[in-house]
Amino acid sequence: MEKVALFATCLTDTLYPATARATVRLLERLGLTVEFPLDQTCCGQMHFNTGYRDHAADLAVRFASMFSGYDAVVVPSGSCAGMVRHVQPDLGAAPPPTYELSEFLVDVLQVTDVGAYFPHRVTYHPTCHSLRMLGVGDKPLALLRQVRGLELVELPQADSCCGFGGTFAVKNADTSTAMLADKMRCVLDTGAEVLTAGDNSCLMHIGGGLSRLRTGVRPVHLAEVLASTEEEPWAPATR
């Protein structure tokens, strides 16, 4: 694997840059050299899901051109990885091999122990796109089980949606709020200190609800958990 690129995604780039930095730190610790093309933009999912197919197609072609020549593109988002791999080809683009982070680690690099240390009680939310569109299965759990110091607790009704769903939360606010309430109750039932997932969109949605209730449960992206070590432990991002 000679040329690996990071596609940070819009949400991570603008709101959660610590996730992008953690992804690079993790991959470099595993011996890879990671490039970050500065002109990268959006995968086009928001445009496609709201009916702006032509705009999504323009972004798909841009993505394919931007990342051509790389052996692999790693995305800390099941949602955007799914868009690139399963939708962009139908929009006239030919994206390079693109992987969600956990499937890149387990399937491509064939590692589950990434040398992480994260001494917290953690529960994992499998996001809809990573679970149903990409089929990552238990790869994130396999990675989390190898993290030293981490106590992994099962999330009840784990495969139910959090209610975010891109524009779903905006168009169907009442339903989204009800789904969020169910998901938060499940998270709180675990007694976990930390909720992790492979998509910042879901973590933003669930974390916002947990914060408003002042639960003290922290949403932390899977990349940040896996990047944490005894020498360089995870710490809440400051902006």
Side-chain angles (χ1 to χ4, degrees), residues 213-237:
L213 294 178
R214 301 181 185 278
T215 64
V217 180
R218 287 187 175 278
V220 181
H221 193 282
L222 178 67
E224 296 174 62
V225 173
L226 299 178
S228 177
T229 63
E230 288 184 84
E231 296 76 21
E232 194 172 3
W234 171 83

Side-chain angles (χ1 to χ4, degrees), residues 132-154:
R132 297 178 176 86
M133 196 172 194
L134 292 178
V136 301
D138 64 355
K139 295 180 181 70
L141 293 172
L143 292 159
L144 290 169
R145 291 189 183 108
Q146 297 297 323
V147 177
R148 285 177 296 115
L150 187 150
E151 180 186 358
L152 183 62
V153 288
E154 183 178 355

